[in-house]
Amino acid sequence: VQLQASGGGLARPGDSLRLSCTGQEGSLDFAVIGWFRQAPGKERENIVCGNRDGRTFYKDSVKGRFSISRDNAKDTVYLQMNNLKPEDTAVYYCALENYYYCTGADALARDFSVWGQGTLVTVSS
């Protein structure tokens, strides 16, 4: 399975961006979705974890600003990011895993086996 991430770029504080993560046909149907980010000099952190049953967990720092959605017909999952802040600057990664169940936005990178290539989001005035 391959994932293709896109949608990153430069944004000003308060702006919105939508990241896309597209997989191979049918790959998202039964997968758990993870969005991670890695800021310069920091470890990769899980910010959103979405189960196939619809239960989704958000890290406190993005709760109320970020949301995910799936379009299984397009094999694509989206990360809508609103009211961006400079501290959201990071490389963002999407990940899939069939054998995991989210109980919070606290997954480890090793919990997911399929990764997109990462897309850079820079928030600066």
Side-chain angles (χ1 to χ4, degrees):
V1 178
Q2 293 182 332
L3 295 176
Q4 182 69 38
S6 61
L10 177 64
R12 296 184 183 276
D15 282 354
S16 297
L17 282 176
R18 189 178 75 164
L19 306 183
S20 300
C21 181
T22 300
Q24 294 174 327
E25 184 176 354
S27 60
L28 271 65
D29 291 355
F30 303 103
V32 175
I33 303 297
W35 282 96
F36 292 74
R37 68 184 181 188
Q38 188 165 15
K42 296 188 176 181
E43 293 188 355
R44 191 171 301 188
E45 65 173 353
N46 178 218
I47 57 171
V48 186
C49 198
N51 292 312
R52 59 180 74 88
D53 62 9
R55 292 196 71 194
T56 303
F57 301 89
Y58 296 88
K59 193 174 182 68
D60 286 347
S61 58
V62 306
K63 196 175 296 182
R65 300 187 298 121
F66 291 12
S67 62
I68 66 169
S69 60
R70 300 185 190 215
D71 186 339
N72 286 346
K74 295 182 178 180
D75 301 303
T76 299
V77 60
Y78 303 98
L79 177 65
Q80 179 67 43
M81 305 186 296
N82 298 328
N83 190 22
L84 284 163
K85 303 177 180 181
E87 52 264 41
D88 294 321
T89 295
V91 177
Y92 284 72
Y93 299 88
C94 59
L96 301 182
E97 176 56 51
N98 288 333
Y99 304 103
Y100 184 74
Y101 189 80
C102 309
T103 56
D106 54 5
L108 301 176
R110 64 172 182 257
D111 293 327
F112 286 77
S113 59
V114 180
W115 289 83
Q117 81 280 17
T119 183
L120 176 63
V121 172
T122 303
V123 184
S124 175
S125 55

